[in-house]
Amino acid sequence: MKRILVIGGSRYFGKHLVTLLADAGHAVSVLNRGSAVPPRGVGHLVADRDDEERLRAALGGRTFDAVVDQVCYTPGQAAVARRVFAGRTGRYVMTSTMEVYDPAPPTAEALGYAEGKRRAEEVFLAEPAPFAFATVRTAHVLGGGREEFTGRLAHYVGRIAAGTPVDVHAAPYATSFVHHHEIAEFLAWAATGTFTGAVDAASHGALDVRELCGLIAGRLGRPARFRVVAAGAAASPFSFDRAYALDNSRATALGFRFGRVADWLPRAVDETLRAAAGPTGAPVTTGPSGRPRAAPAALLPRSCSH
């Protein structure tokens, strides 16, 4: 049993991470600003991570075998964490992003997010290291229905179900994805591991936007329609005009076994459809093939950010 602190862990795959660690028998605590209460049996520390004095007060004399930081976005936050957790933990795992390599699209928002993550990693990696540090650069996370707050999968399911064309580049490049349960499993594995440095976390089988839409269309039993955008114009969330896939070979060599996108994506589409059915929980109807019929009218395309 290890003593593990999760900073954040209040939504999406962070919640599943906390549950996985607790179910595995670890002594788990969650640190957040008090906006969400963790599951029964999980410790709860309340503090604003940006306030170093109050963070130290909330931690008191506690020490941990590992810390998993789900919500480190800036070098300032990293510097506070590095000072506060020096001597309090032997291992620190930061949830980072594939966008540290090359934000896409290169908007001001995406560039700022990627630069913040990149510089936060640099703070933790600076020598001399106060603890063993690993940064997990995650692929695009999908699945979870309403929990998938970016709405990117819902964007594609909605457009294909409605027969609305999906905006794509003329020759889109493949990108990487990971299921929300799989990335939680990876982070739990990383928390109890010994490796250090950067590692990419992505399911096997990178897809370009047309391939992604083909799989979604197959699950819906509806054809996908496309509209090619002009060079330099904005396209749909997962259409990229340059190489944008991760390399999961290091993680695989370290022993983690990833699934394949093509195997879990139909399940993620079903989760999106169930979420669109609304609070009534109306079942998703299927056609003769057993595939879900077109999405409910409530699942309409909406703007999505990276």
Side-chain angles (χ1 to χ4, degrees):
M1 180 187 77
K2 292 181 180 293
R3 300 182 307 278
I4 301 176
L5 175 69
V6 179
I7 303 177
S10 301
R11 66 174 181 173
Y12 203 24
F13 60 85
K15 294 194 299 183
H16 189 54
L17 166 64
V18 170
T19 300
L20 283 175
L21 290 170
D23 288 350
H26 300 296
V28 184
S29 297
V30 167
L31 187 148
N32 59 31
R33 290 178 294 185
S35 56
V37 178
R40 181 176 298 181
V42 172
H44 190 199
L45 305 177
V46 177
D48 182 343
R49 64 167 304 151
D50 295 326
D51 188 325
E52 185 168 347
E53 182 178 349
R54 291 189 177 182
L55 178 57
R56 289 183 184 275
L59 291 170
R62 296 175 180 85
T63 60
F64 306 94
D65 297 298
V67 173
V68 182
D69 193 341
Q70 288 281 93
V71 289
C72 185
Y73 300 112
T74 69
Q77 291 176 332
V80 168
R82 182 181 165 110
R83 289 192 298 268
V84 170
F85 287 99
R88 293 179 185 269
T89 185
R91 181 167 180 78
Y92 202 103
V93 177
M94 173 183 162
T95 303
S96 190
T97 174
M98 66 190 299
E99 295 190 353
V100 299
Y101 294 113
D102 180 18
T107 61
E109 180 183 7
L111 287 168
Y113 173 70
E115 182 65 11
K117 286 285 191 180
R118 186 183 303 112
R119 291 177 60 199
E121 289 184 355
E122 291 173 353
V123 170
F124 282 120
L125 289 166
E127 296 291 346
F131 35 63
F133 174 73
T135 178
V136 177
R137 294 169 177 170
T138 64
H140 303 294
V141 184
L142 298 181
R146 292 186 185 278
E147 292 184 9
E148 196 220 319
F149 58 91
T150 68
R152 292 177 294 190
L153 182 57
H155 171 89
Y156 288 102
V157 173
R159 294 188 81 87
I160 293 169
T164 305
V166 174
D167 290 344
V168 300
H169 294 96
Y173 284 81
T175 191
S176 297
F177 302 94
V178 66
H179 190 265
H180 68 118
H181 281 174
E182 188 170 42
I183 190 58
E185 292 163 5
F186 187 90
L187 289 165
W189 174 79
T192 58
T194 59
F195 69 88
T196 58
V199 63
D200 292 350
S203 301
H204 296 303
L207 302 172
D208 67 41
V209 66
R210 288 179 179 269
E211 293 169 330
L212 175 71
C213 289
L215 289 173
I216 295 171
R219 189 63 177 168
L220 294 175
R222 299 285 298 270
R225 300 174 58 204
F226 301 101
R227 178 171 56 204
V228 177
V229 302
S236 59
F238 295 132
S239 182
F240 299 110
D241 57 1
R242 59 195 186 281
Y244 206 65
L246 290 178
D247 178 0
N248 66 9
S249 60
R250 184 182 184 220
T252 300
L254 286 167
F256 191 83
R257 298 181 64 180
F258 290 102
R260 298 194 65 83
V261 178
D263 291 337
W264 57 253
L265 187 62
R267 184 169 77 254
V269 171
D270 291 351
E271 292 168 345
T272 301
L273 290 169
R274 284 194 292 270
T280 60
V284 178
T285 59
T286 59
S289 66
R291 296 176 300 194
R293 293 188 187 276
L299 200 143
L300 297 174
R302 59 185 179 181
S303 62
C304 310
S305 65
H306 292 264

